[in-house]
Amino acid sequence: QVQLVQSGGGSVQSGGSLRLSCAASGYTWNNYCMGWFRQAPGKEREGVATIDNYGRTTYSDSVKGRFTISRDNAKNTMTMQMNSLIPGDTAMYYCAAVRGTYYYCPMKSDAYNYWGQGTQVTVSS
């Protein structure tokens, strides 16, 4: 089975940092996209950051310069370091993956078919 298990998250004050991790198992893909999406109450799910099998990354404008997505192929994990957190970052964060080749990994949630269980991130002012 394809399984994505998330860890990390939590509650911090504005300006603080958190680290999210996503451990993947049950598959071996040469070409893939993985990413982080988030959804706050009353808002649509939005893409945050993506990374492909080449290590190419994309970020939403709202997190550029603050968040860093990375991967560790030896551990088959994807992580996202979140710095300078603001209350607007408060959301449920989801790890996602899809097999395939893209010019750039899509930031649209409907492109991904494997998902983690979700991790809450709360940033207080």
Side-chain angles (χ1 to χ4, degrees), residues 15 36 39 42 52 80 83 121 125:
W36 293 96
Q39 187 167 18
D52 68 7
M80 185 166 67
N83 298 327
V121 170
S125 61

Side-chain angles (χ1 to χ4, degrees), residues 81-96:
Q81 180 68 40
M82 303 182 292
N83 298 327
S84 301
L85 286 162
I86 59 176
D89 297 320
T90 296
M92 185 73 72
Y93 284 71
Y94 297 92
C95 170

Side-chain angles (χ1 to χ4, degrees), residues 5-114:
V5 179
Q6 300 178 216
S7 61
S11 299
V12 297
Q13 292 185 338
S14 181
S17 298
L18 288 171
R19 181 181 176 90
L20 303 180
S21 296
C22 177
S25 64
Y27 68 94
T28 301
W29 296 338
N30 292 323
N31 303 314
Y32 63 84
C33 286
M34 297 187 71
W36 293 96
F37 294 78
R38 67 187 184 186
Q39 187 167 18
K43 295 184 178 181
E44 297 294 322
R45 184 168 49 183
E46 64 175 344
V48 178
T50 68
I51 188 167
D52 68 7
N53 48 278
Y54 298 108
R56 301 181 302 172
T57 60
T58 61
Y59 297 92
S60 67
D61 290 339
S62 63
V63 307
K64 286 180 180 177
R66 300 188 298 117
F67 292 8
T68 302
I69 189 171
S70 62
R71 62 189 181 126
D72 186 337
N73 288 336
K75 298 181 179 180
N76 204 24
T77 58
M78 175 185 67
T79 65
M80 185 166 67
Q81 180 68 40
M82 303 182 292
N83 298 327
S84 301
L85 286 162
I86 59 176
D89 297 320
T90 296
M92 185 73 72
Y93 284 71
Y94 297 92
C95 170
V98 65
R99 181 181 184 180
T101 300
Y102 296 84
Y103 194 81
Y104 288 102
C105 286
M107 203 69 80
K108 302 293 185 180
S109 61
D110 58 7
Y112 296 82
N113 59 345
Y114 298 104

